[in-house]
Amino acid sequence: YTSFDPTDYATVIRCGGTMVMGVSKLDPVKGEGVKEPAHETKIYSAIKSNVDKTLLAEIDISNATYAACCAVGGKEIMENTPGLMDSHSYGFDTLSSLCPHATHHRGIYEDEKPTLRLYTLVSGLKIPKNSMEQYAANIRKEELDGFNAKDPF
């Protein structure tokens, strides 16, 4: 398997800027315990969804400085799912294409759970100025409304 070690994790976390994180769970079991082939599009969609669903602001992930993806699945899944390692590679390449200027880290780990999980971290993103200005304006408005409308005494 491929290792995503503590030093890799530290570089992703400490690089500054904005960071997005996501997790997706895939179940490659089809019917009565028969393993479904690991389709590249499922892993691609899961990684893309990890990034998209965590964005609370309009952030351009193409300018990320670091990106990481870890796949964690049960021993049974890792050993018996046809095409799984090729699909992992395709998924990791997907993240590389979404963040073309980033340093990429990847990891593949085995555990005892009956599912496959994909954890994604993208960091070093530029802070979205327009969104932050809008958030600040909303907070100021709420503070003023709250101050005028509520008397704590």
Side-chain angles (χ1 to χ4, degrees):
Y1 296 121
T2 304
S3 176
F4 176 65
D5 63 34
T7 302
D8 296 337
Y9 181 69
T11 61
V12 174
I13 296 295
R14 294 182 181 159
C15 74
T18 303
M19 177 171 53
V20 294
M21 302 165 58
V23 64
S24 292
K25 184 170 84 169
L26 302 173
D27 186 2
V29 176
K30 181 181 181 181
E32 301 173 19
V34 177
K35 298 289 182 227
E36 177 181 8
H39 294 289
E40 295 171 343
T41 54
K42 281 187 179 181
I43 291 182
Y44 163 84
S45 296
I47 290 172
K48 181 90 171 81
S49 173
N50 279 351
V51 175
D52 290 344
K53 72 183 175 188
T54 61
L55 296 178
L56 299 176
E58 293 182 26
I59 296 175
D60 178 10
I61 66 164
S62 68
N63 64 31
T65 55
Y66 287 93
C69 185
C70 290
V72 182
K75 183 176 183 175
E76 180 74 21
I77 291 170
M78 296 300 222
E79 291 179 356
N80 299 317
T81 304
L84 185 60
M85 291 306 143
D86 289 337
S87 293
H88 285 324
S89 292
Y90 182 81
F92 295 144
D93 290 345
T94 296
L95 188 58
S96 295
S97 69
L98 294 171
C99 309
H101 306 294
T103 298
H104 293 268
H105 299 289
R106 48 182 73 181
I108 300 174
Y109 296 95
E110 192 176 278
D111 66 6
E112 298 304 318
K113 295 185 180 176
T115 59
L116 175 67
R117 278 110 38 233
L118 298 171
Y119 299 91
T120 308
L121 297 167
V122 178
S123 64
L125 299 162
K126 294 178 183 168
I127 296 172
K129 185 178 178 184
N130 291 341
S131 295
M132 292 300 112
E133 288 171 353
Q134 183 62 44
Y135 291 145
N138 289 343
I139 289 170
R140 282 192 294 274
K141 182 182 180 328
E142 288 176 12
E143 287 174 348
L144 290 174
D145 289 347
F147 179 75
N148 293 331
K150 298 176 186 172
D151 183 359
F153 302 104

